[in-house]
Amino acid sequence: MKPKIVRTVESLRREVARWKADNLSHAIVPTMGALHDGHIQLVREGFQQADRVVVSIFVNPTQFGLKEDLSRYPRDEEGDVEKLAAEGVPLIFAPTVEEMYNLNAATSIHMEGPAKAGLEDKFRPHFFDGVATVVAKLFIQSQATAAMFGDKDYQQLMVVKRMAKDLSIPITVFGVPTHREDDGMAMSSRNRYLTKSERSQATAIYKSLTQAADKIRNGKNPQSATRAASRSLTTLGFKVDYVAARNAETLAVPTNTTEPLRLLAAAWLGKTRLIDNISV
Ligand code: AMP
């Protein structure tokens, strides 16, 4: 069956009220659309955690910088609806910008902690306040008790978990493992920007992270392993924003050898910015 599409907060609330009246729980999967199999993994995990799943599709302008790709960000609502129908998703929330951001809105969320780790925030300073604000709104609007986010955007996952905790929003945020192509490349809506030859090169990000993780497991210092990964990506023609080893929970720079580590990378290939991360 085709999912029902609602575009206002009022109609979203009406739909979830029905579920609540029937004692059915629901999870939310926030997305910006142009759905791929990575998003679908989040939907499937949503159905593991709740009776119903609502997927939001909203290209959030407040998380894009002035020079970023808001206007060319891929949109394909028809294709998205078809993919979600195949998964049995009953409800899609696809609000307009005007519905989400009242012209008179005077409130937004500003975050420190994981949002100021010196990773994505260093290159996209406006990004996490925009994400935290829209995700907090989606949590409150949907009244879901579970939310699915991808490990793919690892710093974002940490930011959203922290935001929900700090604001006492009664929702559990689940991280879902990164879904990858056969060659290891993390699936992303932005991969469609890549030319054919860039696409075959792009797998080097995952490969260099995997190699760095292997070296660290074999006793190499995390800083020198990530520096080597960064150098090899630069040699291959990437413009590297960062390759970093961080504490997997706090995202702080590691200070001892027993901490759980996450390796995170962001690099440009031509006009496309790619990110990825793995655990050690
Ligand atoms: P986006 O539409 O890119 O904002 O992503 C929406 C959600 O899907 C976020 O929680 C992402 O982390 C998640 N996501 C994107 N790509 C993947 C992937 N390859 N595997 C798992 N989750 C993903």
Side-chain angles (χ1 to χ4, degrees):
M1 218 174 70
K2 272 215 159 185
K4 185 165 190 173
I5 306 177
V6 292
R7 301 195 189 273
T8 65
V9 175
E10 199 188 338
S11 46
L12 171 65
R13 283 263 169 83
R14 216 170 16 239
E15 295 302 319
V16 302
R18 287 204 190 106
W19 293 341
K20 286 187 173 197
D22 289 341
N23 258 330
L24 298 169
S25 62
H26 64 282
I28 184 163
V29 178
T31 79
M32 298 205 299
L35 302 181
H36 51 66
D37 283 352
H39 297 112
I40 298 305
Q41 304 308 312
L42 305 192
V43 169
R44 291 183 183 164
E45 188 55 34
F47 279 117
Q48 297 297 313
Q49 302 298 339
D51 301 312
R52 297 284 182 273
V53 170
V54 52
V55 175
S56 64
I57 298 177
F58 181 62
V59 182
N60 177 34
T62 69
Q63 70 191 60
F64 286 80
L66 276 180
K67 291 187 191 145
E68 290 181 0
D69 58 349
L70 173 62
S71 60
R72 71 170 191 140
Y73 195 84
R75 288 160 214 253
D76 176 20
E77 189 174 286
E78 215 175 296
D80 293 346
V81 172
E82 217 167 280
K83 286 177 190 144
L84 296 175
E87 296 299 316
V89 169
L91 187 63
I92 296 172
F93 179 46
T96 59
V97 173
E98 294 71 28
E99 177 69 11
M100 279 306 255
Y101 296 107
N102 184 319
L103 275 183
N104 289 321
T107 308
S108 65
I109 291 173
H110 170 68
M111 284 191 63
E112 304 281 334
K116 287 276 153 39
L119 297 164
E120 284 301 285
D121 50 296
K122 197 166 151 198
F123 299 89
R124 309 180 72 191
H126 40 267
F127 181 67
F128 287 119
D129 286 355
V131 167
T133 303
V134 80
V135 171
K137 285 166 74 77
L138 288 168
F139 285 1
I140 294 164
Q141 290 162 346
S142 69
Q143 301 172 356
T145 52
M148 307 297 136
F149 282 81
D151 284 351
K152 152 89 180 6
D153 301 277
Y154 195 76
Q155 189 179 4
Q156 170 173 282
L157 172 64
M158 297 298 124
V159 163
V160 168
K161 280 189 170 175
R162 184 66 172 275
M163 177 276 293
K165 182 166 180 270
D166 289 353
L167 297 181
S168 309
I169 300 180
I171 195 164
T172 308
V173 177
F174 292 87
V176 177
T178 303
H179 197 57
R180 299 180 180 280
E181 307 280 2
D182 289 344
D183 65 354
M185 171 83 179
M187 287 189 187
S188 164
S189 308
R190 289 188 168 98
N191 290 354
R192 65 185 77 186
Y193 297 156
L194 298 168
T195 64
K196 215 168 167 209
S197 75
E198 285 173 344
R199 172 60 192 84
S200 61
Q201 255 182 300
T203 180
I205 297 188
Y206 176 64
K207 293 211 171 107
S208 65
L209 285 176
T210 312
Q211 279 165 8
D214 284 344
K215 286 185 197 162
I216 295 167
R217 277 186 217 109
N218 290 326
K220 191 163 176 135
N221 172 294
Q223 308 311 334
S224 41
T226 50
R227 260 201 305 272
S230 175
R231 269 198 306 271
S232 83
L233 287 173
T234 305
T235 310
L236 289 169
F238 289 82
K239 189 180 118 359
V240 177
D241 278 352
Y242 60 83
V243 181
R246 292 300 181 89
N247 181 296
E249 277 138 36
T250 63
L251 297 182
V253 175
T255 52
N256 64 61
T257 52
T258 56
E259 291 175 69
L261 291 183
R262 196 94 193 172
L263 304 187
L264 307 100
W268 290 87
L269 193 52
K271 289 195 178 112
T272 308
R273 189 170 185 275
L274 300 166
I275 64 172
D276 201 353
N277 68 87
I278 61 170
S279 65
V280 176

